[in-house]
Amino acid sequence: MKNTYLGTLALSLCLGIGACRTTVKEQPILKESDFEAAPVAMMKPDTFVEFGHQRIDPYFWMKDKKNPKVLDYIKAENAYTDKVMASTKNLQEKLYQEMIGRIKEDDESYPALDNGYYYYSRTEKGKQYATLCRKKESMQGSEEVVFDLNQMAQGKAAFIFAGYDISPDNRLAAYLDNETGSYAEFTLHIRDLSSGKDIAWHVDRASSMAWANDSKTLFYSQIDPQTLRSYRIYRRSIDEDKPTLIYEEKDTKFSTSVHSDISRQYIMINTSSSTTSEIRWISANRPTEPFGVFLPRTTGVEYDVMAHQDCFYIYYKDRTHLNGMVYQVAKADYKNKSAWKLFKDHQEDVRIDDVSVLRDYVIMDLRRNGLNEIRIYDLDGKELRNITFPEPVYSVSSDTGMEFDAQTIRYSYTSFNRPGTLYEYDIPTGKTTKLREREIPSGFKPDDYMVERLWADAADGTKIPMAVVYKKGLKRDGTAPALIYSYGSYGATSDVYFSGSIYSLVDRGFVYAIAQIRGGSDMGEQWYEDGKLLNKKNTFTDFIACSEKLIADHYTSAKKLAAMGGSAGGLLMGAVANMRPDLYQSIVAQVPFVDVISTMLDDTLPLTTGEYEEWGNPNEEAYYRYMLSYSPYDNIEAKEYPNMLVTGGWNDSQVLYHEPTKYVAKLRAMKKGDNLVLLHMNMESGHGGATGRYDGLRDTAFEYAFVLNRVGINQ
């Protein structure tokens, strides 16, 4: 059994929330000049020349983490931020308590059957993490605690549990965790479930794992200590002292991982870049055999393989079929591509998001016009069921579970004003059963809110979808405050879901919007292609167009509009701050990727070379000059900027601490006007911020307090 607890935790923090009623009175807004002088970073110019172009970076020295002046400066910035935000302490606490009131602190997930055990998790009031449990054969059995994450995290400033895999004989659990808060580096352990103790070996820098069917042989991937790229696959038996290297990926654009398939027939090594993939495989019953290549890599071709008894189902995508298609082929003929039978053809307006194969059915998650559908087929490709949804804006995803023989699937449904709900769908009968609806202890009435889908006109005429939610009775006269959020990179979709935290804004009169801009794949894979590489600026202008739409339709005004985005979405925030600073009253840039040129030119930094297919390789002049034209750090000018809150993580492995630090130092040195620029660096964690559920809510309360304070709301 595989369990991605990380995603479950993130989803639970997002979904389990409701509404409050607050009377809002605006207060005077303090400016930068109302506080003591902000920290001033030392300038030590470094000069770089590429393609005849000279760049001068006065803060390049901040890249040296061992330099004590770096830490001193960050501490000074944190102290300054604390002083500026001191007047919002009561507001932060109020927001935090509201958010706590919208989650069921004592809660339990709906159980999932796998290999004779029902697995579930529970949370307890006051505890930061979940307890992961199972019961044998039925939920009436005695509870067995698989992992008590609170006990494992005790005394640790940060703790991430990144998932586990149960051996086929149900005796052992391989799992990944860390104490740094980094989302790249984990330690692999194996726990004896009969004793609750870990056996006496572990692997540092592991990133994925899979058991062979003998329940003693484990395959795992390991990352490069310098670049953090997952590049090697090892095999090791629990009674062996040393592992055996099975595969090493030499191409630095590619990463590799290992997994077993749902039918438990195969161990598969997946090697992929942003545009190309390759799969190696062996029988899970014969773990010492050499791996064979399923289909040799071809640049621009991505594929995945799902096994059935006598055939394979193959998801396949190439440059002329961007939304993907599915083939079926007999196992004996898989090397002969001419023997592949088309199972699901490519459609220009429908993207295949996911494919799952059960004993009797093939399940597909599809995306049409930016919205989800679930289609169910028999093994020969005849469509049996089509699950659609009536609301204008929503998100849904299927879950086939862990049982290959299942006759049911589950799916999770949510929208802006619909708390996450888990359904079970009986495929033979077509009957749907509600299993669990997210409980909102403080109460929530969906009909108190309006959810709309808007379409903004991009600079090139493309229609950009955007979802908004606000409290009924809102006056569309431009006086309401608003917060617009997006991501817009790596083909990730900016789906609409129920997030209780936003209701601390909405119930204070805010309009909340999510923009589905290019660079994501919300409207299909071409949507992604049109927002990457030399088309990247579409991402920024799309976001600007959505912001202008909110203003033009009188939902808000530039004096009341806030923007938020994280990581690559933080790059988005930096870019739009440079391009249209007049459009936003405040911007929250979470762990932002803002020093694009310097980072992408340094292939010794973590994850850089694998990013060339997303952003381009700046060692090539065309990409260098294009990236330079939008890199937020390189394009800071002497002009007025919105109020800015920039966050970072000292242990961040995806966007290193120095990027937000340099950005704030340069922004403050060059900006005009009296708006605030704040840096909030988490000194104990990494890319995802605080790792505990309560600490995570405090982070959100802090950011929302900043947004509220900037429009004069402090209660």
Side-chain angles (χ1 to χ4, degrees), residues 419-633:
T421 305
L422 179 66
Y423 295 92
E424 187 166 77
Y425 186 84
D426 186 275
I427 300 174
T429 66
K431 179 182 178 182
T432 298
T433 303
K434 182 192 291 188
L435 300 180
R436 187 176 188 271
E437 182 175 354
R438 179 70 64 178
E439 183 178 335
I440 313 299
S442 60
F444 182 77
K445 296 179 180 179
D447 292 339
D448 288 348
Y449 304 93
M450 287 292 297
V451 176
E452 297 176 352
R453 196 179 199 199
L454 309 179
W455 297 84
D457 293 321
D460 62 0
T462 303
K463 298 288 186 181
I464 312 300
M466 172 173 49
V468 300
V469 60
Y470 55 88
K471 197 172 179 180
K472 284 184 177 178
L474 179 88
K475 292 183 179 180
R476 293 261 300 276
D477 58 5
T479 62
L483 174 62
I484 180 171
Y485 172 88
S486 195
Y487 184 73
S489 291
Y490 300 104
T493 56
S494 295
D495 289 325
V496 173
Y497 55 83
F498 184 86
S499 170
S501 59
I502 69 170
Y503 284 94
S504 284
L505 299 179
V506 172
D507 282 330
R508 286 175 170 82
F510 267 71
V511 175
Y512 181 74
I514 292 181
Q516 295 181 311
I517 56 182
R518 284 175 287 185
S521 57
D522 306 78
M523 298 290 287
E525 201 68 11
Q526 189 63 50
W527 204 249
Y528 171 41
E529 296 292 324
D530 291 342
K532 66 187 287 194
L533 298 173
L534 297 177
N535 295 317
K536 189 62 205 171
K537 289 183 184 178
N538 284 336
T539 301
F540 316 137
T541 54
D542 286 359
F543 189 84
I544 289 169
C546 289
S547 303
E548 291 175 328
K549 175 70 172 176
L550 291 175
I551 295 170
D553 288 3
H554 307 294
Y555 287 94
T556 190
S557 68
K559 294 181 180 179
K560 295 288 186 74
L561 179 59
M564 181 180 288
S567 193
L571 162 64
L572 168 66
M573 294 300 102
V576 300
N578 285 331
M579 295 168 70
R580 288 295 307 275
D582 60 302
L583 202 55
Y584 305 96
Q585 197 277 340
S586 61
I587 289 178
V588 179
Q590 304 156 315
V591 292
F593 172 44
V594 282
D595 191 14
V596 180
I597 290 292
S598 293
T599 294
M600 293 301 294
L601 281 170
D602 188 350
D603 60 11
T604 68
L605 290 176
L607 310 175
T608 294
T609 53
E611 301 286 288
Y612 289 163
E613 292 180 342
E614 177 70 23
W615 310 101
N617 184 349
N619 294 295
E620 301 174 24
E621 185 172 1
Y623 287 110
Y624 171 81
R625 296 196 177 278
Y626 187 77
M627 293 164 71
L628 183 66
S629 71
Y630 69 74
S631 173
Y633 180 75

Side-chain angles (χ1 to χ4, degrees), residues 102-175:
R102 300 185 192 120
I103 65 172
K104 188 178 180 182
E105 296 181 80
D106 292 308
D107 203 4
E108 188 170 290
S109 69
Y110 202 87
L113 177 64
D114 178 50
N115 197 23
Y117 282 83
Y118 286 88
Y119 289 84
Y120 59 98
S121 64
R122 66 166 186 269
T123 55
E124 298 177 45
K125 185 175 182 178
K127 294 186 177 182
Q128 295 272 20
Y129 303 94
T131 302
L132 312 183
C133 309
R134 68 179 184 178
K135 293 183 179 180
K136 190 174 183 179
E137 295 178 352
S138 80
M139 286 301 292
Q140 283 66 52
S142 58
E143 181 178 87
E144 178 183 343
V145 173
V146 182
F147 296 103
D148 183 342
L149 302 187
N150 293 287
Q151 185 181 69
M152 295 167 70
Q154 191 170 4
K156 299 169 184 175
F159 177 75
I160 295 179
F161 186 87
Y164 64 93
D165 193 358
I166 302 290
S167 62
D169 65 4
N170 292 312
R171 295 188 307 106
L172 301 172
Y175 70 95

Side-chain angles (χ1 to χ4, degrees), residues 326-390:
V326 178
Y327 289 96
Q328 181 190 50
V329 63
K331 288 183 177 179
D333 297 328
Y334 81 92
K335 290 185 177 181
N336 179 12
K337 201 166 177 224
S338 64
W340 292 15
K341 173 186 174 184
L342 189 62
F343 183 88
K344 172 69 174 175
D345 203 354
H346 177 264
Q347 292 178 267
E348 293 291 342
D349 62 341
V350 179
R351 178 180 184 262
I352 300 175
D353 279 357
D354 190 52
V355 182
S356 300
V357 176
L358 301 177
R359 186 192 65 193
D360 297 323
Y361 309 104
V362 176
I363 318 298
M364 293 191 199
D365 284 14
L366 306 178
R367 185 177 297 269
R368 184 196 306 270
N369 200 31
L371 299 173
N372 308 108
E373 301 174 2
I374 300 174
R375 299 282 181 94
I376 303 172
Y377 304 86
D378 68 16
L379 298 179
D380 293 322
K382 178 183 177 183
E383 184 176 319
L384 302 176
R385 307 287 184 191
N386 180 12
I387 308 175
T388 57
F389 307 91

Side-chain angles (χ1 to χ4, degrees), residues 162-187:
Y164 64 93
D165 193 358
I166 302 290
S167 62
D169 65 4
N170 292 312
R171 295 188 307 106
L172 301 172
Y175 70 95
L176 298 169
D177 70 356
N178 74 33
E179 302 174 19
T180 65
S182 166
Y183 280 83
E185 299 181 85
F186 295 96
T187 301

